[in-house]
Amino acid sequence: MAVWALGLNHNTAPLDLRGRFAFALDQMAPALHGLRTSHQRQPEAAILSTCNRTEVYCASDNVQIDHTLGWLARAGDVPVDALHHHTYVLRDDQAARHAFRVASGLDSMVLGEAQILGQMKSAVRAAEDAGALGTTLNQLFQRSFAVAKQVRTSTDIGAHSISMAAAAVRLAGNLFEDLREIRVLFVGAGEMVELAATHFAARQPRAIAIANRTLERGEKLASRLGGEVMRLADLPERLHEFDAIVSCTASTLPIIGLGAVERALKKRRHRPIFMVDLAVPRDIEPEVKALDDVYLYTVDDLAQVVQTGHANRQAAVAQAEAIIDAGVQSFMHWIDQRSPASGVVPLIQQLNAQADAWRAAELAKARKRLAKGEDVEAVLDGLSRGLMQKMMHGALAELHGADPDHREQTTQAIERLFLRGKAPGTGG
């Protein structure tokens, strides 16, 4: 079984190109179906899509990287050759290493940021719900979550992390003398906006408003922050009221246009507006940045701010990489064990077949006894004893028949196989 990852991120592709490959969670099921059916053999598949990256993970006994690239190019309506220059392809241990580094926050624009782990878990749930997640990718991602947890608890990788939200507040503080005197508008009510709103609310601005397509969700966030809620349709008429605007929605087209901002500036008599567009694709038309009294930042513009503290964390990065190395070796060992050449899979199949045969034999005996009217408790006791004797017979025979030279080795093998602690389901 081979594993491969194909993707583009903030290091390989500009913002507007990344925006063409953004998949919302409600688009994952049809996207995964299209991805899998585009391949000659339907692979296991998962798609991770965030503001900084879109990555496709696949597993199959037949590597089909060209098919994966072709599907992604069609999904974003970009020529394959043009997309190829902005993507990276990783296979097997390198794909595993990349997934572990992403989950641990080592491949993020914000080194050590924790949000990506939740986004990966959401991507895995979406793949599982779509029936696209098989045994191999499930193992890859579950191990990536375990590695990320170990990195988080064993190192200081996230100790000085500056989030996008904190960076936005810092930039706003550079523009406005006192954040307590400004009015802040948040467009959207998702996780990124909630995080940004929480950071701004801590600075006690004069007013907070939430504009969202669904009023109910907007009201929930607004009530927690002591702000008001408004409809997205009211944005053009009320934009001039706000000194700072932070936007992050799932819209596929900009929702704040150049004309609306020009009219707002005129009403404000050209008092400056601070704007942060955290959405991919963009929520705010890029032409807005050229206006004299607008200070517009995108996720890529925040990169320099969030790099602060990198030098202080190099020792933590080295520790994290060591943890990831061990995780990669463990995953590849698991892959190797499942290979037919290893002999492990056939042996497992033989063991399962033998256990099934024992179970069927004891069930047949139990049914005959029940048909004769024997006591149910006695039949169940006989069933359990019969299974126990069949399971223990081989081990006991080996133990009794082992010569002195091999008895210790046999004893250790039996202890490993049968005395490893409480059995599953006993509360241990």
Side-chain angles (χ1 to χ4, degrees), residues 223-297:
S223 63
R224 185 166 68 80
L225 299 172
E228 66 164 314
V229 65
M230 55 187 279
R231 296 181 183 277
L232 279 180
D234 297 332
L235 268 182
E237 298 304 318
R238 296 196 57 187
L239 215 53
H240 68 282
E241 300 175 20
F242 301 97
D243 306 292
I245 299 165
V246 179
S247 185
C248 187
T249 73
S251 174
T252 56
L253 296 172
I255 57 177
I256 300 177
L258 177 63
V261 179
E262 287 177 326
R263 291 190 294 273
L265 284 172
K266 188 174 181 180
K267 290 181 182 179
R268 290 173 60 82
R269 298 183 179 180
H270 293 276
R271 284 182 291 117
I273 301 179
F274 173 77
M275 306 182 83
V276 177
D277 188 352
L278 296 173
V280 179
R282 297 175 190 256
D283 277 346
I284 303 171
E285 288 187 343
E287 293 80 6
V288 169
K289 193 167 189 172
L291 297 174
D292 288 340
D293 300 296
V294 172
Y295 298 82
L296 171 61
Y297 298 88

Side-chain angles (χ1 to χ4, degrees), residues 20-293:
R20 302 182 74 89
F21 300 96
F23 296 91
L25 281 177
D26 59 0
Q27 298 174 316
M28 284 298 183
L32 285 164
H33 176 73
L35 166 64
R36 299 181 73 209
T37 54
S38 71
H39 289 62
Q40 291 176 341
R41 298 183 185 178
Q42 290 196 14
E44 301 177 24
I47 301 171
L48 173 63
S49 181
T50 75
C51 60
N52 289 329
R53 71 182 67 245
T54 293
E55 295 179 341
V56 180
Y57 291 85
C58 294
S60 174
D61 58 359
N62 181 30
V63 179
Q64 304 171 71
I65 293 171
D66 288 344
H67 289 78
T68 310
L69 180 63
W71 173 83
L72 189 61
R74 290 191 296 276
D77 194 23
V78 173
V80 172
D81 290 343
L83 178 60
H84 178 71
H85 293 299
H86 295 282
T87 57
Y88 42 89
V89 177
L90 303 158
R91 285 187 55 179
D92 300 327
D93 59 331
Q94 293 304 312
R97 184 181 307 281
H98 181 74
F100 294 173
R101 294 185 85 254
V102 170
S104 302
L106 267 68
D107 195 64
S108 296
M109 184 182 291
V110 184
L111 182 62
E113 62 99 359
Q115 186 183 16
I116 184 64
L117 184 58
Q119 293 168 326
M120 284 189 77
K121 289 181 177 179
S122 295
V124 171
R125 281 195 295 271
E128 189 172 19
D129 291 344
L133 194 71
T135 302
T136 301
L137 281 191
N138 185 58
Q139 273 289 320
L140 174 70
F141 287 116
Q142 295 307 320
R143 287 168 183 262
S144 73
F145 302 153
V147 165
K149 181 178 180 180
Q150 188 177 356
V151 167
R152 189 72 52 186
T153 56
S154 303
T155 76
D156 292 328
I157 195 69
H160 307 286
S161 175
I162 300 176
S163 69
M164 291 288 183
V169 173
R170 176 179 293 188
L171 289 171
N174 293 340
L175 179 62
F176 300 108
E177 184 176 349
D178 188 352
L179 294 185
R180 291 175 297 180
E181 295 299 319
I182 69 171
R183 297 176 179 273
V184 189
L185 170 66
F186 298 96
V187 184
E191 186 177 355
M192 281 297 292
V193 164
E194 185 173 356
L195 189 61
T198 302
H199 276 74
F200 271 95
R203 304 296 287 271
Q204 300 179 324
R206 175 180 289 184
I208 289 177
I210 309 293
N212 195 51
R213 198 176 306 278
T214 306
L215 279 182
E216 182 181 354
R217 187 166 184 179
E219 285 171 351
K220 185 177 179 181
L221 180 57
S223 63
R224 185 166 68 80
L225 299 172
E228 66 164 314
V229 65
M230 55 187 279
R231 296 181 183 277
L232 279 180
D234 297 332
L235 268 182
E237 298 304 318
R238 296 196 57 187
L239 215 53
H240 68 282
E241 300 175 20
F242 301 97
D243 306 292
I245 299 165
V246 179
S247 185
C248 187
T249 73
S251 174
T252 56
L253 296 172
I255 57 177
I256 300 177
L258 177 63
V261 179
E262 287 177 326
R263 291 190 294 273
L265 284 172
K266 188 174 181 180
K267 290 181 182 179
R268 290 173 60 82
R269 298 183 179 180
H270 293 276
R271 284 182 291 117
I273 301 179
F274 173 77
M275 306 182 83
V276 177
D277 188 352
L278 296 173
V280 179
R282 297 175 190 256
D283 277 346
I284 303 171
E285 288 187 343
E287 293 80 6
V288 169
K289 193 167 189 172
L291 297 174
D292 288 340
D293 300 296

Side-chain angles (χ1 to χ4, degrees), residues 374-423:
E374 293 188 33
D375 180 65
V376 173
E377 288 297 325
V379 172
L380 289 175
D381 184 66
L383 173 65
S384 64
R385 287 180 182 278
L387 280 173
M388 182 183 72
Q389 288 169 359
K390 283 181 167 59
M391 291 173 64
M392 298 296 292
H393 174 74
L396 293 175
E398 285 294 319
L399 188 61
H400 290 308
D403 59 68
D405 293 337
H406 295 91
R407 184 165 293 138
E408 183 177 354
Q409 185 179 353
T410 304
T411 300
Q412 290 174 353
I414 290 173
E415 287 176 346
R416 286 198 308 273
L417 292 170
F418 295 97
L419 302 175
R420 298 178 66 177
K422 292 184 178 180

